[in-house]
Amino acid sequence: MVERIRCASLVLSVLSVGFLVSGILLLTFSDVIIKKAVKKESQLKQGTVVYKLWRDSPVPYYISIYIFDLINEVDFLNGAKPQLIERGPFVYKEQRTKTDIKFYPNGTISYRELRNYTFDRSKSSDDETYNITTVNVVYMTLVNYLLTQNVLSPVRSLIGLLLSTVEKPIMKRTVKEYLWGYRDPILGMLKDKFPSLVTNDQVSVFASAVDEAQYETYLINSGVGFDANHTERIRDLGRIERFNFSTSLSIWSNQYANMINGTDSTIWHPDVSKDELIYSFMNDICRSVHLRFNQTRQNIFNIDIYRFALPDDIFANSSDNEGFCTNISTSDKIKPLKCLPSGLFSLTPCLHLSGSAVSIPLPIIGSNPHFLATDQTVQDAIIGLKPDDTRHRSYMEIEPITGIVMNGSRRMQFNINVVNDSKIGAIARIQPVVYPMIWVNEHAEIDQPNANMFHKKVAVPLAVLAVLKYSFFTMGVTLLLTVIGLVIYSQYKKNRALVLVVDEPATAAVVDDERTPLLQ
């Protein structure tokens, strides 16, 4: 019996040591193993999971556009606050196609990205034929340009008379015309009379940005290998190294504002920390922004994610943003820079009227939708806005182990700088205001098939590894305790057997004494 226990203890001892060592090794090195495997699949090189997702994103992108409809046109032109109603959403499915993808020996990739939009009536509030009333973009652009160029009053009066014959400061257009293009009467007249000066009479508030994007070239970090300092490049995965062949912009007033920071917001490095800032370069507003950690939550597919959100001070009138202040005069660069109220930033250096031989900046001002986190005086100048943190703040949700962007919304409002001019009768009484035109929500969210793929390739293996490492360790401890128990039990049995052997002769002696006669 004792021999059997001894053999069992020996076998169990070997097993317990094996399980304990395996468990300890997994507890110690499992994170290293996981990170190494994730890094390998996160690199932008042919054959990896992340490269496939980056090149041909299976996640559908949608862009929802909301248009502000002016309902008090006459009163507005006579000095009243503009009263607006938000129309929309008008939803378009966005198809992104990366072209001219090239790999370079220094660990970078260049590409261009084409975008195509298809109207989705089922997700939209109305048809594209819906009519809206808004500020005439070309009219107000020309008026702004005359003022910034310090054009003499008599000349402005004459131009005002000419404008009144073909154009009005307020226009009515269908949604499709407004977003995707219409023939502007002013530009049409100038094109007919001065074809070398004006080559295009089509105007749109969205299509022109889409057309320009197809010619933009990105050079990004692939995250492969090590840099000159022998540091893994995976931390720089997707970072934009050059935009249109330049390492920085040249349109803002200082070096900091001209920096190109971060990715294009569709990709991020693995092993994400709550303490880091998520930088993103937004080409349509010609600047970089950052997002801060907001919360940890679980999405509808039971995937744990970190949410990063655009902070309130990102467009603040502060020393950090002084480089985005602009010179209100394009003819006199000596004049001091003009900084807009907090929450606003000028896009004048970034956007220009297309189809003109003369570079005419568009008086467009960017902000959060409905002037969220914008100076109260700016909000109070408009009737009908309802800023809401949930609906109007940009955010990104990232799975922290892999760095995969699970969900995100990039939300931006485009406004026009409305000015008055006493020399132009149609706008002599209008009150200067930052007038909301549209706001855009570019949104993408992982769907069920891709969530299932994530669970299969990432979540399940991680869960199995977690179960194994704790199971092995627990099994090893349990077997070790069993061995100890068996050893104690074996020793107990051995000791008891010895006692029995020692006690038997003494008992026999006593019996013999009882049989001996009392008298000899």
Side-chain angles (χ1 to χ4, degrees):
M1 178 68 177
V2 174
E3 288 299 321
R4 289 181 180 178
I5 293 175
R6 187 177 301 168
C7 290
S9 298
L10 183 61
V11 172
L12 292 177
S13 296
V14 174
L15 289 174
S16 68
V17 170
F19 278 114
L20 274 174
V21 170
S22 300
I24 292 171
L25 287 175
L26 285 174
L27 285 170
T28 306
F29 298 107
S30 61
D31 287 345
V32 176
I33 296 170
I34 292 169
K35 288 180 180 180
K36 186 176 181 179
V38 169
K39 287 177 183 178
K40 182 180 178 181
E41 288 299 321
S42 295
Q43 296 173 343
L44 285 178
K45 63 180 182 180
Q46 293 180 348
T48 66
V49 172
V50 170
Y51 177 76
K52 293 175 184 177
L53 295 175
W54 172 80
R55 186 193 60 193
D56 302 305
S57 176
V59 178
Y61 287 86
Y62 287 93
I63 187 162
S64 300
I65 302 177
Y66 300 81
I67 303 175
F68 293 101
D69 194 6
L70 179 67
I71 61 174
N72 65 333
E73 174 185 347
V74 175
D75 292 339
F76 173 54
L77 291 174
N78 283 290
K81 293 181 181 180
Q83 187 171 350
L84 307 178
I85 295 179
E86 178 186 279
R87 308 294 187 188
F90 299 94
V91 181
Y92 298 85
K93 186 173 183 179
E94 182 180 78
Q95 179 65 45
R96 299 184 178 190
T97 305
K98 289 182 172 63
T99 63
D100 294 338
I101 300 175
K102 298 177 182 178
F103 295 83
Y104 299 95
N106 64 349
T108 57
I109 305 173
S110 67
Y111 69 95
R112 290 185 300 112
E113 188 170 67
L114 307 180
R115 299 189 181 188
N116 183 58
Y117 296 89
T118 305
F119 182 63
D120 191 333
R121 180 63 182 88
S122 65
K123 296 180 181 294
S124 303
S125 62
D126 292 284
D127 290 316
E128 288 182 295
T129 55
Y130 190 89
N131 286 286
I132 53 100
T133 302
T134 187
V135 169
N136 188 318
V137 176
V138 174
Y139 188 104
M140 197 53 64
T141 296
L142 294 177
V143 172
N144 271 269
Y145 186 69
L146 293 175
L147 292 175
T148 58
Q149 294 302 305
N150 299 316
V151 176
L152 296 175
S153 298
V155 178
R156 299 205 311 275
S157 298
L158 178 60
I159 293 175
L161 288 173
L162 292 174
L163 286 175
S164 64
T165 62
V166 292
E167 198 76 281
K168 293 181 179 180
I170 304 298
M171 66 178 184
K172 290 179 172 59
R173 296 288 176 187
T174 66
V175 168
K176 187 173 184 178
E177 289 174 331
Y178 189 54
L179 296 179
W180 301 103
Y182 61 91
R183 184 181 185 275
D184 182 80
I186 298 176
L187 295 180
M189 179 187 69
L190 293 175
K191 181 183 178 183
D192 293 339
K193 294 184 179 298
F194 310 102
S196 60
L197 184 65
V198 176
T199 59
N200 183 16
D201 57 6
Q202 293 293 307
V203 177
S204 69
V205 298
F206 188 71
S208 56
V210 176
D211 293 338
E212 289 179 10
Q214 65 181 318
Y215 302 109
E216 296 171 342
T217 302
Y218 291 84
L219 181 73
I220 66 172
N221 196 307
S222 67
V224 178
F226 297 82
D227 61 17
N229 298 319
H230 305 290
T231 303
E232 283 189 300
R233 293 162 58 90
I234 195 66
R235 298 292 297 180
D236 294 325
L237 176 68
R239 189 185 70 189
I240 299 172
E241 304 284 351
R242 293 177 183 269
F243 176 69
N244 288 337
F245 310 102
S246 297
T247 57
S248 63
L249 304 178
S250 59
I251 61 174
W252 304 111
S253 59
N254 68 18
Q255 183 179 359
Y256 176 77
N258 280 315
M259 291 176 67
I260 298 174
N261 295 319
T263 71
D264 66 352
S265 76
T266 64
I267 189 172
W268 198 248
H269 64 74
D271 193 21
V272 181
S273 168
K274 296 177 182 179
D275 298 325
E276 64 182 308
L277 298 177
I278 305 296
Y279 280 94
S280 174
F281 176 69
M282 302 174 69
N283 61 310
D284 49 356
I285 61 172
C286 303
R287 65 175 288 176
S288 300
V289 298
H290 66 265
L291 295 87
R292 292 196 187 108
F293 176 77
N294 178 263
Q295 63 173 315
T296 300
R297 74 181 195 89
Q298 197 172 71
N299 67 10
I300 59 175
F301 302 113
N302 298 317
I303 300 173
D304 293 324
I305 51 178
Y306 288 172
R307 172 180 277 231
F308 293 82
L310 201 70
D312 281 344
D313 59 358
I314 193 69
F315 305 131
N317 187 340
S318 64
S319 57
D320 288 340
N321 285 322
E322 63 184 3
F324 298 106
C325 300
T326 57
N327 196 312
I328 60 174
S329 173
T330 57
S331 60
D332 184 1
K333 297 295 185 181
I334 300 176
K335 286 189 175 182
L337 298 176
K338 178 184 178 183
C339 297
L340 297 174
S342 284
L344 303 177
F345 59 97
S346 175
L347 289 172
T348 299
C350 179
L351 305 175
H352 294 78
L353 191 64
S354 60
S356 172
V358 180
S359 180
I360 301 178
L362 291 171
I364 303 300
I365 295 171
S367 70
N368 285 318
H370 284 246
F371 292 141
L372 175 71
T374 302
D375 192 284
Q376 192 62 45
T377 58
V378 177
Q379 296 183 22
D380 293 342
I382 306 293
I383 299 173
L385 299 185
K386 298 176 182 178
D388 179 88
D389 193 87
T390 302
R391 292 187 66 238
H392 301 142
R393 188 180 298 278
S394 298
Y395 69 91
M396 185 187 299
E397 293 182 338
I398 303 176
E399 197 286 314
I401 296 174
T402 62
I404 294 175
V405 180
M406 293 286 173
N407 182 17
S409 281
R410 194 175 71 164
R411 295 157 173 167
M412 190 61 56
Q413 182 169 298
F414 297 93
N415 317 277
I416 190 165
N417 185 41
V418 170
V419 294
N420 64 6
D421 189 340
S422 60
K423 302 302 178 182
I424 302 177
I427 57 170
R429 293 180 298 278
I430 200 170
Q431 288 297 314
V433 67
V434 179
Y435 182 94
M437 301 162 59
I438 64 172
W439 75 269
V440 179
N441 179 19
E442 191 172 19
H443 179 74
E445 183 173 8
I446 190 169
D447 53 12
Q448 186 67 64
N450 287 287
N452 292 341
M453 184 183 73
F454 176 84
H455 280 292
K456 180 181 179 180
K457 291 183 174 292
V458 179
V460 172
L462 289 178
V464 170
L465 187 60
V467 169
L468 283 177
K469 66 183 179 182
Y470 290 112
S471 297
F472 278 19
F473 185 78
T474 303
M475 185 67 74
V477 171
T478 302
L479 290 175
L480 182 61
L481 292 175
T482 303
V483 169
I484 293 172
L486 288 173
V487 170
I488 293 173
Y489 179 72
S490 174
Q491 190 63 42
Y492 167 75
K493 294 288 289 182
K494 182 178 180 181
N495 291 340
R496 186 173 179 183
L498 288 173
V499 170
L500 291 174
V501 170
V502 172
D503 287 348
E504 279 184 5
T507 304
V510 172
V511 171
D512 289 343
D513 287 346
E514 289 178 351
R515 291 178 180 177
T516 302
L518 292 175
L519 297 176
Q520 296 291 333

